[in-house]
Every structure is written in C-alpha cells, then in structure tokens.
Amino acid sequence: MDSTQTPTVTLITKPGCHLCTLARDVVVRVTGELGVTFDERSLPDIVDPDPMWWEQIPVTLIDGEIHDYWRVSERRLRSELSERLGAARSA
C-alpha cells in the first residue's frame, strides 16, 4: 500500500458460513467507525483462490494480505487499521 492511501479490507466468505456472519458484523462495525473501505467476496466466485482459504474461511485481508482467519478479532483489526491510518496521515 502507498503510505498515503487508506487501507482496504476484504472479507472472503462462503455461503452458509456462520463464522462469516460474525466476521462480517465485526468488519462492518470497525471499517464504518474508521472510514475504511470494505469489500466482501464469496470464495466460490473467486478465480484461482488460495487453496488454504477453503480451510480458513472467513479470511480477512488488508490491502490483499491475510490479516485474520476463522474468527476476526475486533481489537486486532481496529489496531492494525488505526496504525495504517496514522501512517497514511503522517506521510
């Protein structure tokens, strides 16, 4: 990520996944509070996904890099995004 850009969070989910619903709630809350872009993609619709994602769903990416999987930690996500936003503001 360019240090002047706002980070982007991508949540990789699959249909019928109860952990994905919980993860979505956390990601929507944190990104909404911090004004960060959020995108959700369904694993079956992704061309050539990382094979590990099928076992790790839901997967949270920040700027295309894995941040969390299985369960999304609200504290960790908020901390990482706040740090990146601070770096972007000070650049």
Side-chain angles (χ1 to χ4, degrees), residues 63-81:
D63 296 326
E65 298 176 2
I66 291 182
H67 173 73
D68 250 337
Y69 52 89
W70 293 325
R71 296 196 184 269
V72 176
S73 165
E74 184 167 347
R75 181 190 55 74
R76 266 181 31 88
L77 181 60
R78 185 181 313 281
S79 175
E80 179 66 24
L81 291 174

Side-chain angles (χ1 to χ4, degrees), residues 32-57:
E33 289 172 7
L34 297 176
V36 172
T37 303
F38 161 64
D39 178 39
E40 183 173 338
R41 298 184 62 204
S42 180
L43 189 53
D45 297 332
I46 298 172
V47 176
D48 198 27
D50 183 319
M52 290 303 297
W53 291 355
W54 287 100
E55 302 299 322
Q56 297 173 331
I57 218 68

Side-chain angles (χ1 to χ4, degrees), residues 4-57:
T4 61
Q5 292 180 331
T6 302
T8 299
V9 176
T10 303
L11 179 62
I12 308 296
T13 61
K14 70 178 181 182
C17 168
H18 73 283
L19 290 177
C20 298
T21 302
L22 298 173
R24 182 181 307 109
D25 291 344
V26 170
V27 172
V28 166
R29 182 172 43 255
V30 172
T31 58
E33 289 172 7
L34 297 176
V36 172
T37 303
F38 161 64
D39 178 39
E40 183 173 338
R41 298 184 62 204
S42 180
L43 189 53
D45 297 332
I46 298 172
V47 176
D48 198 27
D50 183 319
M52 290 303 297
W53 291 355
W54 287 100
E55 302 299 322
Q56 297 173 331
I57 218 68

